[in-house]
Amino acid sequence: MSSQKAFQDYYADEVSYCYGCGRLNEQGLQLKSYWDGEEAVCTYRPLPQHMAIPGYVYGGLIASIIDCHSTGTAAAGAYRAQNRAMDTEPALRYVTASLHVDYLRPTPIDSDLVVRARVEEIKGRKIVVSSELTAGGQLCARGEAVLVQMPEEWLEGR
Amino acid sequence: MSSQKAFQDYYADEVSYCYGCGRLNEQGLQLKSYWDGEEAVCTYRPLPQHMAIPGYVYGGLIASIIDCHSTGTAAAGAYRAQNRAMDTEPALRYVTASLHVDYLRPTPIDSDLVVRARVEEIKGRKIVVSSELTAGGQLCARGEAVLVQMPEEWLEGR
C-alpha cells in the first residue's frame, strides 16, 4: 500500500491541519488512509503515553482514529461513487455528525492498530461508514460514523 | 469547584496513567471531573494543535473528553449510590463499553469546553452516563457512554 497516495494527502492545505489526520499538523497523529479493495485501511502505532492503564490503549485514541479514518473513507468513497479521482474538482470533504464506538476488549498498546472501514451507505450529502479495529490480529473495537459533506465555503480560503 | 478534590485524584497510582485523565501521565490531557449537584463537570481548554480545521476542535478530542469524563462520573456515581466516599475500599473503577457522540455544530477552539454529565442508570456492573458539551455557552456535542466496572484484578498491582 505504501506506493499509494493516502486520502489525506489529497486534501488542500487549508483542511490539512486536523490533529488526527492533517499532514500539516506537526504535533498531531498524521493518520493515513488507503484503499485495499472495497475497504479503506488505516494503521497507527500508539505512543507509550497513549495508555489507558499500563499495557492498553486509551479509548479516546481509538475513537480519534476511527473518527478521522471514517471522514477520510467517506471522502474517498464519495469520489469513487462519482468515478472521479481525489485530485479533481469540486473537492469533497466530510465532517462527523455522529460517532459510535463499541469497545470489545482491552486494546494492547504494543502493536499496530489496524482500522478497516467500509462505506455502508451514501445518501445525498450523508455517508455511513462502519469499521473494525484490530490489534495483533484480535478484534478490539467496532465503529460506526455518520459523515456529512463539508459546506463548500469551509473549503474556500478559510 | 476548585476546593474540591477531582474524581481522578482519588484513583490509585496504578490506574492514574490514562492519557485522557491520568494525573500521572505527563503528556496527557489530565482531565479533572467534579460534582456540581447531580451533574459532574469537566472543563478543558483545547491546545492550538487540537484543531479539526483552523478555529475548530477536532472530533477526537471531544470524544476523548466525553469518554474520560464519563468513566469518572460512573465511578463517582457508583460511590454515591453506595453512600461511600471515593477514598474508601473496595475501589470502584469503570471502563468504557460503548461511546456515542453526536456532533451538533463546529466547536470553537478558543474557549473552554465544558462537559456536564449525569448518571442515567446503574444496573449491576453497568452504568449509563449522558453528557453535553458546550463551548462559549453553545451546545456543541452530546454524548452517551456505557461503562462497565473494571475487573478487580486490574486494580491489584497491574
Side-chain angles (χ1 to χ4, degrees), chain B residues 38-98:
Chain B
E38 289 300 302
E39 293 185 328
V41 182
C42 174
T43 301
Y44 182 75
R45 182 69 170 225
L47 301 175
Q49 63 264 34
H50 290 145
M51 77 181 91
I53 57 173
Y56 297 99
V57 177
Y58 90 110
L61 180 73
I62 290 169
S64 298
I65 299 172
I66 289 176
D67 182 17
C68 279
H69 182 48
S70 297
T71 60
T73 300
Y79 280 101
R80 267 202 174 177
Q82 296 184 10
N83 284 312
R84 288 206 281 129
M86 287 191 76
D87 54 1
T88 59
E89 296 288 329
L92 300 170
R93 300 290 175 263
Y94 286 78
V95 291
T96 311
S98 75

Side-chain angles (χ1 to χ4, degrees), chain A residues 59-137:
Chain A
L61 181 72
I62 290 170
S64 298
I65 299 172
I66 288 176
D67 183 17
C68 279
H69 182 48
S70 296
T71 59
T73 301
Y79 281 101
R80 265 202 176 175
Q82 295 183 10
N83 284 312
R84 288 205 280 131
M86 287 192 76
D87 54 2
T88 59
E89 297 288 332
L92 299 171
R93 300 290 175 265
Y94 285 78
V95 291
T96 311
S98 75
L99 175 69
H100 185 92
V101 180
D102 288 313
Y103 297 93
L104 305 174
R105 69 176 73 236
T107 302
I109 202 166
D110 59 353
S111 55
D112 286 348
L113 308 183
V114 181
V115 183
R116 302 187 76 88
R118 181 178 284 271
V119 173
E120 298 290 346
E121 188 187 352
I122 302 181
K123 196 173 176 182
R125 298 178 72 90
K126 199 180 89 173
I127 296 186
V128 179
V129 172
S130 68
S131 54
E132 291 189 340
L133 181 148
T134 57

Side-chain angles (χ1 to χ4, degrees), chain A residues 19 25 49 51 97 99 101 103, chain B residues 19 25 51 97 99 101 103:
Chain A
Y19 185 84
N25 191 323
Q49 62 265 33
M51 77 180 89
L99 175 69
V101 180
Y103 297 93
Chain B
Y19 185 83
N25 191 321
M51 77 181 91
L99 175 69
V101 180
Y103 297 93

Side-chain angles (χ1 to χ4, degrees), chain A residues 31-43:
Chain A
L31 301 169
K32 303 283 185 194
S33 304
Y34 303 91
W35 283 122
D36 179 22
E38 289 300 303
E39 292 185 328
V41 182
C42 173
T43 302

Side-chain angles (χ1 to χ4, degrees), chain B residues 1-10 33-34 87:
Chain B
M1 288 190 300
S2 55
S3 64
Q4 284 185 54
K5 200 164 155 181
F7 304 163
Q8 292 84 3
D9 292 335
Y10 289 101
S33 304
Y34 302 90
D87 54 1

